[in-house]
Amino acid sequence: MNSLVIILIAMVVLVAGYVFYGRWLAKKWGIDEKAKTPAFTHEDGEDFVPSSKFTVFSHQFSSIAGAGPVTGPILASVFGWVPVLLWLLIGGLFFGAVQDFGALYASVKNEGKSMGMIIEKYIGKTGRKLFMLFCWLFTLLVIAAFTDMVAGTFVGTGLEDAGVAYANGSAASISMLFILVAVIFGLIQKKVGKMNEWVKAVVAIGLLVVMFAVGMHLPIYASKTAWIYIIMAYLFLASVLPMWLLMQPRDYMTTFMFAGMIIGAVVGLLVAHPTMNLPVYTGFKNAKMGDMFPILFVTVACGAVSGFHSLVSSGTSSKTISNEKDMPMVGYGAMIVESLLGVVALVVVGAVAVNGTKPDGTPFSIFSSGVAGFLEKMGVPVTVATVFMTMCVSALALTSLDSVARIGRMSFQELFLGDTTDTAKMTPMQKVLTNKYFATVITLFFGYLLTLGGYNNVWPLFGSANQLLAALVLIALSVFLKTTGRTGWTLYFPMGMMLVVTFTALIQKTVALVKNVASGQAAFLVDGLQLIVAILLMVLGVMVAYSCIRKLFGAGKNSEKEAA
Protein backbone atom coordinates (compact mmCIF):
# COMPACT_ATOMS: atom_id res chain seq x y z
CA MET A 1 0.00 0.00 0.00
CA ASN A 2 1.09 3.58 -0.63
CA SER A 3 2.49 5.12 2.55
CA LEU A 4 0.67 8.41 1.94
CA VAL A 5 -2.70 6.64 2.13
CA ILE A 6 -1.73 5.13 5.49
CA ILE A 7 -0.78 8.55 6.87
CA LEU A 8 -4.05 10.11 5.68
CA ILE A 9 -6.15 7.29 7.17
CA ALA A 10 -4.30 7.63 10.48
CA MET A 11 -4.79 11.41 10.60
CA VAL A 12 -8.53 11.14 9.89
CA VAL A 13 -9.03 8.40 12.51
CA LEU A 14 -7.01 10.22 15.20
CA VAL A 15 -8.64 13.61 14.63
CA ALA A 16 -12.11 12.03 14.64
CA GLY A 17 -11.25 10.24 17.88
CA TYR A 18 -10.22 13.51 19.53
CA VAL A 19 -13.27 15.41 18.30
CA PHE A 20 -15.85 12.78 19.21
CA TYR A 21 -14.48 10.46 21.91
CA GLY A 22 -12.14 12.91 23.66
CA ARG A 23 -14.80 15.61 23.91
CA TRP A 24 -17.41 13.04 24.97
CA LEU A 25 -15.20 12.00 27.90
CA ALA A 26 -14.66 15.64 28.87
CA LYS A 27 -18.43 16.23 28.82
CA LYS A 28 -19.15 13.08 30.85
CA TRP A 29 -16.52 13.83 33.49
CA GLY A 30 -17.26 17.54 33.69
CA ILE A 31 -15.13 20.60 32.94
CA ASP A 32 -15.53 23.76 35.02
CA GLU A 33 -14.04 26.74 33.19
CA LYS A 34 -14.61 29.01 36.19
CA ALA A 35 -12.85 26.82 38.75
CA LYS A 36 -9.46 27.94 40.07
CA THR A 37 -6.85 25.37 39.14
CA PRO A 38 -4.02 24.18 41.45
CA ALA A 39 -1.58 26.31 39.42
CA PHE A 40 -3.25 29.36 41.02
CA THR A 41 -4.33 28.02 44.41
CA HIS A 42 -0.89 26.53 45.15
CA GLU A 43 1.33 28.82 43.07
CA ASP A 44 4.91 28.62 44.36
CA GLY A 45 7.07 29.71 41.43
CA GLU A 46 8.72 26.29 41.14
CA ASP A 47 6.29 23.43 40.43
CA PHE A 48 2.92 25.22 40.53
CA VAL A 49 3.19 27.82 37.75
CA PRO A 50 0.10 29.07 35.81
CA SER A 51 0.92 28.72 32.11
CA SER A 52 -0.73 29.19 28.71
CA LYS A 53 -2.46 26.27 27.00
CA PHE A 54 0.23 25.87 24.35
CA THR A 55 3.04 26.09 26.91
CA VAL A 56 1.50 23.24 28.93
CA PHE A 57 0.76 21.29 25.73
CA SER A 58 4.36 21.70 24.58
CA HIS A 59 5.66 20.47 27.93
CA GLN A 60 3.28 17.50 27.93
CA PHE A 61 4.03 16.51 24.33
CA SER A 62 7.78 17.02 24.58
CA SER A 63 7.90 14.99 27.79
CA ILE A 64 5.80 12.05 26.62
CA ALA A 65 7.09 11.91 23.02
CA GLY A 66 10.31 10.20 24.00
CA ALA A 67 12.09 7.36 22.29
CA GLY A 68 9.02 5.12 22.49
CA PRO A 69 6.90 6.30 19.53
CA VAL A 70 9.91 5.93 17.22
CA THR A 71 11.66 2.91 18.71
CA GLY A 72 8.56 0.81 19.50
CA PRO A 73 6.81 0.73 16.09
CA ILE A 74 10.10 0.13 14.25
CA LEU A 75 11.05 -2.81 16.47
CA ALA A 76 7.51 -4.25 16.34
CA SER A 77 7.36 -3.96 12.53
CA VAL A 78 8.83 -7.47 12.30
CA PHE A 79 5.26 -8.73 12.88
CA GLY A 80 4.04 -6.78 9.82
CA TRP A 81 2.84 -3.22 9.47
CA VAL A 82 -0.92 -3.83 9.82
CA PRO A 83 -0.87 -5.16 13.43
CA VAL A 84 1.38 -2.27 14.47
CA LEU A 85 -0.83 0.33 12.75
CA LEU A 86 -4.01 -1.07 14.31
CA TRP A 87 -2.53 -1.03 17.80
CA LEU A 88 -1.18 2.52 17.36
CA LEU A 89 -4.65 3.79 16.39
CA ILE A 90 -6.84 1.71 18.72
CA GLY A 91 -4.41 1.86 21.62
CA GLY A 92 -3.79 5.58 21.17
CA LEU A 93 -7.47 6.54 21.11
CA PHE A 94 -9.02 4.19 23.65
CA PHE A 95 -6.12 3.32 25.96
CA GLY A 96 -3.30 5.88 25.96
CA ALA A 97 -5.18 9.15 25.43
CA VAL A 98 -7.87 8.14 27.96
CA GLN A 99 -5.23 7.37 30.59
CA ASP A 100 -3.25 10.59 29.95
CA PHE A 101 -6.37 12.77 30.05
CA GLY A 102 -7.75 10.89 33.04
CA ALA A 103 -4.56 11.29 35.09
CA LEU A 104 -4.42 15.01 34.28
CA TYR A 105 -8.12 15.43 35.10
CA ALA A 106 -7.91 13.55 38.42
CA SER A 107 -4.83 15.51 39.48
CA VAL A 108 -6.30 18.92 38.65
CA LYS A 109 -9.48 17.97 40.54
CA ASN A 110 -7.33 16.94 43.52
CA GLU A 111 -5.15 20.00 44.07
CA GLY A 112 -2.46 18.95 41.60
CA LYS A 113 -1.61 15.78 43.53
CA SER A 114 0.45 13.03 41.92
CA MET A 115 -1.09 9.65 41.11
CA GLY A 116 0.43 8.25 44.30
CA MET A 117 -1.27 10.82 46.50
CA ILE A 118 -4.55 10.34 44.62
CA ILE A 119 -4.30 6.60 45.30
CA GLU A 120 -3.81 7.36 49.00
CA LYS A 121 -6.96 9.49 49.05
CA TYR A 122 -9.22 7.00 47.26
CA ILE A 123 -7.57 3.64 48.04
CA GLY A 124 -5.37 4.01 51.11
CA LYS A 125 -1.86 4.72 52.43
CA THR A 126 -0.54 1.22 51.75
CA GLY A 127 -1.63 1.45 48.12
CA ARG A 128 0.12 4.79 47.82
CA LYS A 129 3.41 3.52 49.27
CA LEU A 130 3.42 0.48 47.00
CA PHE A 131 2.54 2.58 43.95
CA MET A 132 5.26 5.17 44.64
CA LEU A 133 7.88 2.43 45.04
CA PHE A 134 6.73 0.93 41.72
CA CYS A 135 6.93 4.37 40.08
CA TRP A 136 10.40 5.02 41.43
CA LEU A 137 11.72 1.67 40.16
CA PHE A 138 10.09 2.38 36.80
CA THR A 139 11.78 5.78 36.51
CA LEU A 140 15.15 4.06 36.99
CA LEU A 141 14.44 1.91 33.91
CA VAL A 142 13.49 4.99 31.87
CA ILE A 143 16.64 6.83 32.95
CA ALA A 144 18.76 3.80 32.05
CA ALA A 145 17.22 3.14 28.63
CA PHE A 146 16.96 6.75 27.44
CA THR A 147 20.35 7.89 28.78
CA ASP A 148 22.04 5.09 26.84
CA MET A 149 20.10 6.06 23.69
CA VAL A 150 20.91 9.77 23.90
CA ALA A 151 24.58 9.19 24.72
CA GLY A 152 24.76 6.84 21.72
CA THR A 153 23.44 9.52 19.35
CA PHE A 154 26.01 12.05 20.67
CA VAL A 155 29.13 9.87 20.25
CA GLY A 156 31.65 11.70 18.07
CA THR A 157 34.85 9.78 18.73
CA GLY A 158 36.03 6.36 17.59
CA LEU A 159 33.69 6.26 14.59
CA GLU A 160 34.87 5.19 11.13
CA ASP A 161 32.34 7.35 9.27
CA ALA A 162 33.37 11.01 9.55
CA GLY A 163 29.93 12.15 8.38
CA VAL A 164 28.20 10.31 11.21
CA ALA A 165 30.72 11.66 13.72
CA TYR A 166 30.07 15.22 12.50
CA ALA A 167 26.27 14.80 12.66
CA ASN A 168 26.48 13.36 16.18
CA GLY A 169 28.89 16.05 17.37
CA SER A 170 26.74 18.82 15.92
CA ALA A 171 23.57 17.39 17.50
CA ALA A 172 25.39 17.20 20.84
CA SER A 173 26.52 20.81 20.54
CA ILE A 174 22.99 21.98 19.72
CA SER A 175 21.63 20.04 22.72
CA MET A 176 24.06 21.73 25.09
CA LEU A 177 23.11 25.12 23.64
CA PHE A 178 19.47 24.19 24.20
CA ILE A 179 20.09 23.95 27.94
CA LEU A 180 21.84 27.33 28.16
CA VAL A 181 19.38 29.13 25.87
CA ALA A 182 16.38 27.59 27.68
CA VAL A 183 17.56 29.13 30.96
CA ILE A 184 18.06 32.53 29.29
CA PHE A 185 14.64 32.26 27.60
CA GLY A 186 13.05 31.35 30.93
CA LEU A 187 14.67 34.33 32.69
CA ILE A 188 13.51 36.69 29.91
CA GLN A 189 9.92 35.44 30.21
CA LYS A 190 10.04 35.81 33.99
CA LYS A 191 11.31 39.38 33.65
CA VAL A 192 8.91 40.43 30.87
CA GLY A 193 5.90 38.69 32.35
CA LYS A 194 3.11 37.33 30.18
CA MET A 195 4.40 37.33 26.60
CA ASN A 196 2.18 37.40 23.51
CA GLU A 197 1.99 33.80 22.20
CA TRP A 198 2.86 34.78 18.62
CA VAL A 199 5.85 36.85 19.74
CA LYS A 200 6.92 34.00 22.03
CA ALA A 201 6.69 31.51 19.15
CA VAL A 202 8.71 33.71 16.78
CA VAL A 203 11.42 34.19 19.41
CA ALA A 204 11.55 30.43 20.06
CA ILE A 205 11.85 29.58 16.36
CA GLY A 206 14.51 32.27 15.91
CA LEU A 207 16.53 30.84 18.78
CA LEU A 208 16.23 27.36 17.26
CA VAL A 209 17.69 28.58 13.97
CA VAL A 210 20.59 30.34 15.71
CA MET A 211 21.39 27.30 17.89
CA PHE A 212 21.26 25.03 14.87
CA ALA A 213 23.68 27.23 12.91
CA VAL A 214 26.13 27.58 15.82
CA GLY A 215 25.98 23.86 16.63
CA MET A 216 26.78 22.90 13.04
CA HIS A 217 29.85 25.13 13.05
CA LEU A 218 31.04 24.10 16.51
CA PRO A 219 30.44 20.35 16.96
CA ILE A 220 31.43 18.72 20.26
CA TYR A 221 33.26 15.40 20.03
CA ALA A 222 33.26 13.12 23.07
CA SER A 223 32.98 9.44 23.96
CA LYS A 224 29.77 7.68 25.00
CA THR A 225 30.96 7.38 28.61
CA ALA A 226 31.65 11.12 28.79
CA TRP A 227 28.19 11.88 27.43
CA ILE A 228 26.53 9.62 29.99
CA TYR A 229 28.19 11.65 32.77
CA ILE A 230 27.22 14.96 31.10
CA ILE A 231 23.60 13.82 30.68
CA MET A 232 23.46 12.78 34.35
CA ALA A 233 24.67 16.25 35.36
CA TYR A 234 21.96 17.84 33.19
CA LEU A 235 19.31 15.57 34.74
CA PHE A 236 20.36 16.73 38.19
CA LEU A 237 19.75 20.35 37.17
CA ALA A 238 16.43 19.51 35.48
CA SER A 239 15.28 17.73 38.62
CA VAL A 240 15.96 20.53 41.11
CA LEU A 241 15.58 23.80 39.18
CA PRO A 242 12.17 25.56 38.97
CA MET A 243 9.93 24.46 36.07
CA TRP A 244 9.83 27.94 34.52
CA LEU A 245 13.63 28.27 34.46
CA LEU A 246 14.67 25.20 32.44
CA MET A 247 12.10 22.53 31.57
CA GLN A 248 9.20 24.69 30.36
CA PRO A 249 11.25 26.92 28.01
CA ARG A 250 13.23 23.91 26.75
CA ASP A 251 10.08 21.90 26.07
CA TYR A 252 8.45 24.91 24.42
CA MET A 253 11.30 25.32 21.92
CA THR A 254 11.60 21.57 21.40
CA THR A 255 7.94 21.32 20.39
CA PHE A 256 8.57 23.53 17.36
CA MET A 257 11.51 21.32 16.40
CA PHE A 258 9.33 18.20 16.73
CA ALA A 259 6.62 19.89 14.69
CA GLY A 260 9.20 20.60 11.99
CA MET A 261 10.31 16.97 12.07
CA ILE A 262 6.76 15.59 11.73
CA ILE A 263 5.80 18.11 9.04
CA GLY A 264 9.06 17.42 7.18
CA ALA A 265 8.42 13.68 7.31
CA VAL A 266 4.80 14.03 6.11
CA VAL A 267 5.72 16.48 3.32
CA GLY A 268 8.60 14.21 2.36
CA LEU A 269 6.13 11.32 2.10
CA LEU A 270 3.91 13.53 -0.09
CA VAL A 271 6.83 14.16 -2.42
CA ALA A 272 8.25 10.64 -2.44
CA HIS A 273 4.97 8.72 -1.70
CA PRO A 274 6.86 5.41 -1.37
CA THR A 275 5.13 2.08 -1.04
CA MET A 276 5.31 0.00 2.14
CA ASN A 277 8.11 -2.51 1.59
CA LEU A 278 7.24 -4.43 4.75
CA PRO A 279 4.87 -7.43 4.80
CA VAL A 280 1.29 -6.79 5.87
CA TYR A 281 1.54 -9.60 8.44
CA THR A 282 4.37 -12.04 9.11
CA GLY A 283 2.71 -14.42 11.56
CA PHE A 284 2.13 -14.84 15.27
CA LYS A 285 5.65 -16.03 16.05
CA ASN A 286 8.93 -14.26 15.32
CA ALA A 287 12.28 -15.97 15.73
CA LYS A 288 13.95 -12.97 17.42
CA MET A 289 11.09 -11.21 19.21
CA GLY A 290 8.88 -14.12 20.29
CA ASP A 291 5.06 -14.32 20.19
CA MET A 292 3.05 -11.37 18.92
CA PHE A 293 1.06 -11.57 22.15
CA PRO A 294 2.25 -9.98 24.38
CA ILE A 295 5.45 -8.74 22.68
CA LEU A 296 3.79 -6.48 20.08
CA PHE A 297 1.91 -4.51 22.75
CA VAL A 298 4.81 -3.96 25.14
CA THR A 299 7.21 -3.18 22.28
CA VAL A 300 5.06 -0.52 20.58
CA ALA A 301 4.75 0.94 24.08
CA CYS A 302 4.47 4.75 24.19
CA GLY A 303 2.94 5.18 20.73
CA ALA A 304 -0.24 3.46 21.95
CA VAL A 305 -0.27 3.59 25.76
CA SER A 306 2.35 4.45 28.36
CA GLY A 307 2.13 4.53 32.12
CA PHE A 308 4.92 7.10 32.14
CA HIS A 309 2.55 9.61 30.55
CA SER A 310 0.32 9.51 33.63
CA LEU A 311 3.29 10.54 35.78
CA VAL A 312 3.85 13.57 33.54
CA SER A 313 0.12 14.43 33.49
CA SER A 314 -0.22 14.27 37.28
CA GLY A 315 3.35 15.11 38.25
CA THR A 316 4.09 18.28 36.29
CA SER A 317 1.43 19.29 33.73
CA SER A 318 -1.46 19.36 36.23
CA LYS A 319 0.45 21.92 38.27
CA THR A 320 0.67 24.38 35.37
CA ILE A 321 -2.86 24.16 33.84
CA SER A 322 -4.45 27.61 34.01
CA ASN A 323 -7.99 26.60 33.02
CA GLU A 324 -9.79 23.26 33.12
CA LYS A 325 -10.96 23.74 29.53
CA ASP A 326 -7.31 23.28 28.44
CA MET A 327 -7.18 19.71 29.80
CA PRO A 328 -8.63 17.82 26.78
CA MET A 329 -6.09 19.37 24.40
CA VAL A 330 -3.17 18.81 26.78
CA GLY A 331 -4.12 15.35 28.05
CA TYR A 332 -5.96 13.71 25.16
CA GLY A 333 -4.55 15.82 22.33
CA ALA A 334 -0.84 15.37 23.10
CA MET A 335 -1.27 11.58 23.05
CA ILE A 336 -3.03 11.75 19.67
CA VAL A 337 -0.06 13.62 18.19
CA GLU A 338 2.30 11.03 19.67
CA SER A 339 0.32 8.20 18.07
CA LEU A 340 0.63 10.04 14.75
CA LEU A 341 4.41 10.20 15.30
CA GLY A 342 4.35 6.43 15.84
CA VAL A 343 2.53 5.97 12.52
CA VAL A 344 5.08 8.21 10.79
CA ALA A 345 7.91 6.08 12.22
CA LEU A 346 6.17 2.92 10.97
CA VAL A 347 5.74 4.37 7.49
CA VAL A 348 9.37 5.52 7.39
CA VAL A 349 10.71 2.06 8.23
CA GLY A 350 8.30 0.60 5.68
CA ALA A 351 9.59 2.97 3.02
CA VAL A 352 13.28 2.20 3.60
CA ALA A 353 12.84 -1.56 4.11
CA VAL A 354 14.54 -3.84 1.59
CA ASN A 355 12.95 -7.10 0.43
CA GLY A 356 10.44 -7.01 3.26
CA THR A 357 13.08 -6.57 5.97
CA LYS A 358 13.83 -3.44 8.00
CA PRO A 359 17.39 -2.09 7.61
CA ASP A 360 20.12 -2.90 10.11
CA GLY A 361 20.87 -0.38 12.83
CA THR A 362 19.12 1.14 15.81
CA PRO A 363 15.53 2.38 15.43
CA PHE A 364 16.83 5.92 15.90
CA SER A 365 19.34 5.60 13.05
CA ILE A 366 16.72 4.00 10.76
CA PHE A 367 14.20 6.77 11.42
CA SER A 368 16.79 9.54 11.25
CA SER A 369 18.32 8.40 7.94
CA GLY A 370 14.88 7.68 6.45
CA VAL A 371 13.43 11.13 7.13
CA ALA A 372 16.74 12.79 6.19
CA GLY A 373 16.42 11.02 2.82
CA PHE A 374 12.91 12.48 2.38
CA LEU A 375 14.17 15.97 3.25
CA GLU A 376 17.04 15.59 0.78
CA LYS A 377 14.54 14.86 -2.00
CA MET A 378 12.86 18.17 -1.11
CA GLY A 379 16.13 20.02 -1.75
CA VAL A 380 17.48 20.19 1.82
CA PRO A 381 21.29 19.65 1.84
CA VAL A 382 22.10 16.15 3.06
CA THR A 383 24.40 17.41 5.85
CA VAL A 384 21.73 19.78 7.21
CA ALA A 385 19.05 17.09 6.97
CA THR A 386 21.21 14.53 8.78
CA VAL A 387 22.19 16.89 11.61
CA PHE A 388 18.57 18.06 12.01
CA MET A 389 17.23 14.51 12.27
CA THR A 390 20.03 13.39 14.62
CA MET A 391 19.18 16.37 16.81
CA CYS A 392 15.46 15.54 16.72
CA VAL A 393 15.78 11.88 17.65
CA SER A 394 18.14 12.65 20.53
CA ALA A 395 15.80 15.40 21.74
CA LEU A 396 12.91 12.91 21.72
CA ALA A 397 14.61 10.94 24.47
CA LEU A 398 16.26 13.87 26.25
CA THR A 399 13.00 15.76 26.83
CA SER A 400 11.51 12.66 28.43
CA LEU A 401 14.65 12.13 30.47
CA ASP A 402 14.52 15.50 32.21
CA SER A 403 10.86 14.97 33.11
CA VAL A 404 11.43 11.44 34.39
CA ALA A 405 14.39 12.57 36.51
CA ARG A 406 12.14 15.13 38.21
CA ILE A 407 9.31 12.62 38.59
CA GLY A 408 11.72 10.00 39.96
CA ARG A 409 12.99 12.48 42.52
CA MET A 410 9.43 13.37 43.55
CA SER A 411 8.44 9.68 43.77
CA PHE A 412 11.39 8.97 46.07
CA GLN A 413 10.47 11.91 48.27
CA GLU A 414 6.81 10.85 48.48
CA LEU A 415 7.87 7.35 49.55
CA PHE A 416 9.08 8.76 52.86
CA LEU A 417 6.48 11.46 53.49
CA GLY A 418 4.28 10.89 56.51
CA ASP A 419 1.13 12.81 57.28
CA THR A 420 2.80 16.15 56.81
CA THR A 421 5.06 17.95 54.35
CA ASP A 422 6.16 20.41 57.04
CA THR A 423 9.90 19.80 57.55
CA ALA A 424 9.65 21.13 61.12
CA LYS A 425 7.49 18.12 62.04
CA MET A 426 9.71 15.52 60.33
CA THR A 427 12.30 13.28 61.93
CA PRO A 428 15.97 13.96 61.02
CA MET A 429 16.00 10.88 58.75
CA GLN A 430 12.79 12.00 57.01
CA LYS A 431 14.33 15.41 56.36
CA VAL A 432 17.28 13.77 54.60
CA LEU A 433 15.22 11.27 52.59
CA THR A 434 12.73 13.91 51.43
CA ASN A 435 15.42 16.46 50.55
CA LYS A 436 15.18 17.09 46.81
CA TYR A 437 18.94 17.09 46.29
CA PHE A 438 19.46 13.81 48.14
CA ALA A 439 16.47 12.19 46.38
CA THR A 440 17.83 13.28 42.99
CA VAL A 441 21.32 11.90 43.63
CA ILE A 442 19.97 8.51 44.80
CA THR A 443 17.63 8.27 41.80
CA LEU A 444 20.33 9.13 39.27
CA PHE A 445 22.87 6.80 40.91
CA PHE A 446 20.69 3.71 40.56
CA GLY A 447 19.58 4.82 37.09
CA TYR A 448 23.26 5.02 36.12
CA LEU A 449 23.91 1.46 37.35
CA LEU A 450 21.13 0.14 35.12
CA THR A 451 22.51 2.21 32.22
CA LEU A 452 25.57 -0.06 32.22
CA GLY A 453 23.41 -2.84 30.73
CA GLY A 454 22.61 -0.82 27.58
CA TYR A 455 19.16 0.00 26.20
CA ASN A 456 18.85 -3.29 24.25
CA ASN A 457 18.82 -5.22 27.53
CA VAL A 458 16.69 -2.73 29.45
CA TRP A 459 14.04 -2.00 26.77
CA PRO A 460 11.95 -5.22 27.11
CA LEU A 461 11.77 -4.75 30.88
CA PHE A 462 11.02 -1.04 30.46
CA GLY A 463 8.22 -1.80 27.99
CA SER A 464 6.57 -4.34 30.29
CA ALA A 465 6.86 -2.12 33.37
CA ASN A 466 5.58 0.86 31.41
CA GLN A 467 2.44 -0.95 30.31
CA LEU A 468 1.87 -2.43 33.78
CA LEU A 469 2.07 1.08 35.22
CA ALA A 470 -0.59 2.11 32.69
CA ALA A 471 -2.83 -0.74 33.86
CA LEU A 472 -2.41 0.27 37.52
CA VAL A 473 -3.16 3.91 36.74
CA LEU A 474 -6.30 2.94 34.78
CA ILE A 475 -7.54 0.94 37.78
CA ALA A 476 -6.83 3.85 40.14
CA LEU A 477 -8.62 6.26 37.80
CA SER A 478 -11.61 3.91 37.67
CA VAL A 479 -11.79 4.05 41.47
CA PHE A 480 -11.57 7.85 41.39
CA LEU A 481 -14.32 8.15 38.76
CA LYS A 482 -16.64 5.67 40.49
CA THR A 483 -16.09 7.19 43.94
CA THR A 484 -16.87 10.68 42.66
CA GLY A 485 -19.92 9.55 40.67
CA ARG A 486 -18.42 9.96 37.21
CA THR A 487 -18.49 7.65 34.17
CA GLY A 488 -15.64 5.15 34.50
CA TRP A 489 -16.77 1.99 32.69
CA THR A 490 -14.85 3.01 29.57
CA LEU A 491 -11.62 2.24 31.47
CA TYR A 492 -12.50 -1.34 32.46
CA PHE A 493 -11.54 -3.15 29.26
CA PRO A 494 -8.26 -1.23 28.75
CA MET A 495 -7.15 -1.90 32.33
CA GLY A 496 -8.04 -5.60 32.13
CA MET A 497 -6.26 -6.11 28.83
CA MET A 498 -3.12 -4.28 29.96
CA LEU A 499 -2.92 -6.34 33.15
CA VAL A 500 -2.98 -9.58 31.14
CA VAL A 501 -0.47 -8.30 28.56
CA THR A 502 2.04 -6.93 31.04
CA PHE A 503 2.07 -9.75 33.55
CA THR A 504 2.54 -12.23 30.69
CA ALA A 505 5.48 -10.20 29.33
CA LEU A 506 7.09 -9.73 32.75
CA ILE A 507 6.86 -13.46 33.51
CA GLN A 508 8.48 -14.26 30.14
CA LYS A 509 11.28 -11.73 30.78
CA THR A 510 11.86 -13.07 34.30
CA VAL A 511 12.09 -16.66 33.03
CA ALA A 512 14.65 -15.58 30.40
CA LEU A 513 16.73 -13.75 33.04
CA VAL A 514 16.62 -16.74 35.40
CA LYS A 515 17.85 -19.01 32.58
CA ASN A 516 20.77 -16.64 31.96
CA VAL A 517 21.68 -16.63 35.65
CA ALA A 518 21.33 -20.43 35.92
CA SER A 519 23.57 -20.98 32.89
CA GLY A 520 26.33 -18.85 34.40
CA GLN A 521 26.25 -16.38 31.48
CA ALA A 522 24.78 -13.51 33.49
CA ALA A 523 26.57 -10.36 34.63
CA PHE A 524 25.22 -8.98 37.91
CA LEU A 525 25.11 -5.35 36.76
CA VAL A 526 23.11 -6.41 33.68
CA ASP A 527 21.03 -9.55 34.20
CA GLY A 528 21.26 -9.61 38.01
CA LEU A 529 19.94 -6.08 38.58
CA GLN A 530 17.27 -6.52 35.92
CA LEU A 531 16.11 -9.78 37.53
CA ILE A 532 15.80 -8.08 40.92
CA VAL A 533 13.87 -5.16 39.38
CA ALA A 534 11.61 -7.50 37.36
CA ILE A 535 10.66 -9.54 40.44
CA LEU A 536 10.05 -6.38 42.50
CA LEU A 537 7.87 -4.92 39.74
CA MET A 538 5.75 -8.06 39.50
CA VAL A 539 5.26 -8.33 43.27
CA LEU A 540 4.44 -4.64 43.61
CA GLY A 541 2.18 -4.79 40.55
CA VAL A 542 0.14 -7.65 42.03
CA MET A 543 -0.17 -5.88 45.40
CA VAL A 544 -1.19 -2.52 43.92
CA ALA A 545 -3.62 -4.14 41.45
CA TYR A 546 -5.22 -6.18 44.25
CA SER A 547 -5.67 -3.09 46.47
CA CYS A 548 -7.18 -1.06 43.63
CA ILE A 549 -9.46 -3.76 42.23
CA ARG A 550 -10.80 -4.63 45.70
CA LYS A 551 -11.61 -0.96 46.24
CA LEU A 552 -13.07 -0.56 42.75
CA PHE A 553 -15.58 -3.36 42.97
CA GLY A 554 -16.34 -2.79 46.64
CA ALA A 555 -16.74 0.97 46.53
CA GLY A 556 -19.99 2.80 46.26
CA LYS A 557 -20.45 6.34 45.12
CA ASN A 558 -19.03 8.90 47.46
CA SER A 559 -21.51 11.37 48.79
CA GLU A 560 -18.79 13.97 48.45
CA LYS A 561 -19.00 14.03 44.67
CA GLU A 562 -16.82 16.85 43.45
CA ALA A 563 -18.30 19.72 41.55
CA ALA A 564 -17.71 19.24 37.86
Side-chain angles (χ1 to χ4, degrees), residues 229-519:
Y229 291 140
I230 293 169
I231 291 166
M232 287 292 172
Y234 164 66
L235 295 183
F236 179 85
L237 294 176
S239 175
V240 300
L241 290 177
M243 285 283 292
W244 62 266
L245 182 59
L246 176 56
M247 286 181 63
Q248 275 195 341
R250 174 184 161 78
D251 290 344
Y252 185 85
M253 292 187 293
T254 302
T255 298
F256 288 102
M257 186 173 67
F258 288 166
M261 176 187 71
I262 295 173
I263 292 170
V266 173
V267 173
L269 289 169
L270 280 170
V271 174
H273 53 81
T275 57
M276 290 291 284
N277 296 319
L278 286 172
V280 171
Y281 175 63
T282 60
F284 188 79
K285 286 184 177 292
N286 180 268
K288 284 187 177 180
M289 299 283 286
D291 296 340
M292 188 169 74
F293 181 89
I295 300 302
L296 173 85
F297 301 95
V298 297
T299 302
V300 170
C302 309
V305 57
S306 166
F308 166 63
H309 297 183
S310 69
L311 304 184
V312 176
S313 292
S314 66
T316 53
S317 295
S318 63
K319 297 172 176 60
T320 56
I321 286 280
S322 294
N323 194 304
E324 286 191 12
K325 68 180 181 180
D326 299 342
M327 290 193 291
M329 175 180 164
V330 173
Y332 202 95
M335 181 61 219
I336 292 304
V337 180
E338 178 164 357
S339 292
L340 178 60
L341 177 57
V343 174
V344 171
L346 176 64
V347 168
V348 168
V349 71
V352 298
V354 180
N355 298 323
T357 305
K358 69 180 180 67
D360 293 330
T362 66
F364 269 12
S365 65
I366 294 170
F367 182 74
S368 178
S369 60
V371 178
F374 294 156
L375 295 175
E376 188 181 355
K377 289 183 179 180
M378 295 165 55
V380 178
V382 62
T383 304
V384 174
T386 303
V387 170
F388 176 71
M389 285 309 304
T390 304
M391 176 62 224
C392 284
V393 295
S394 61
L396 280 169
L398 198 56
T399 50
S400 289
L401 262 175
D402 50 24
S403 290
V404 84
R406 194 179 192 92
I407 292 165
R409 179 263 292 177
M410 294 167 70
S411 297
F412 187 86
Q413 288 177 289
E414 287 187 22
L415 264 175
F416 300 99
L417 284 177
D419 297 325
T420 179
T421 56
D422 186 356
T423 54
K425 298 178 181 178
M426 293 181 183
T427 64
M429 182 59 71
Q430 263 189 309
K431 289 180 181 179
V432 173
L433 294 172
T434 57
N435 178 276
K436 68 178 181 179
Y437 300 105
F438 179 82
T440 299
V441 170
I442 291 295
T443 300
L444 295 180
F445 172 73
F446 283 103
Y448 168 76
L449 289 182
L450 286 170
T451 303
L452 300 178
Y455 94 91
N456 280 324
N457 290 307
V458 176
W459 188 264
L461 187 55
F462 156 75
S464 301
N466 191 20
Q467 309 298 281
L468 178 53
L469 178 58
L472 300 178
V473 169
L474 286 167
I475 303 171
L477 291 175
S478 298
V479 175
F480 158 72
L481 292 169
K482 183 177 181 179
T483 305
T484 57
R486 294 179 168 93
T487 301
W489 60 265
T490 53
L491 278 62
Y492 292 177
F493 178 75
M495 75 183 187
M497 177 175 167
M498 295 318 299
L499 280 173
V500 174
V501 166
T502 52
F503 276 116
T504 304
L506 274 173
I507 290 170
Q508 290 180 349
K509 178 64 177 176
T510 303
V511 170
L513 288 169
V514 169
K515 286 181 178 178
N516 274 356
V517 172
S519 65

Side-chain angles (χ1 to χ4, degrees), residues 39 42-50 190 241-245:
H42 297 280
E43 186 174 359
D44 61 5
E46 288 199 15
D47 295 316
F48 291 87
V49 182
K190 190 72 171 177
L241 290 177
M243 285 283 292
W244 62 266
L245 182 59

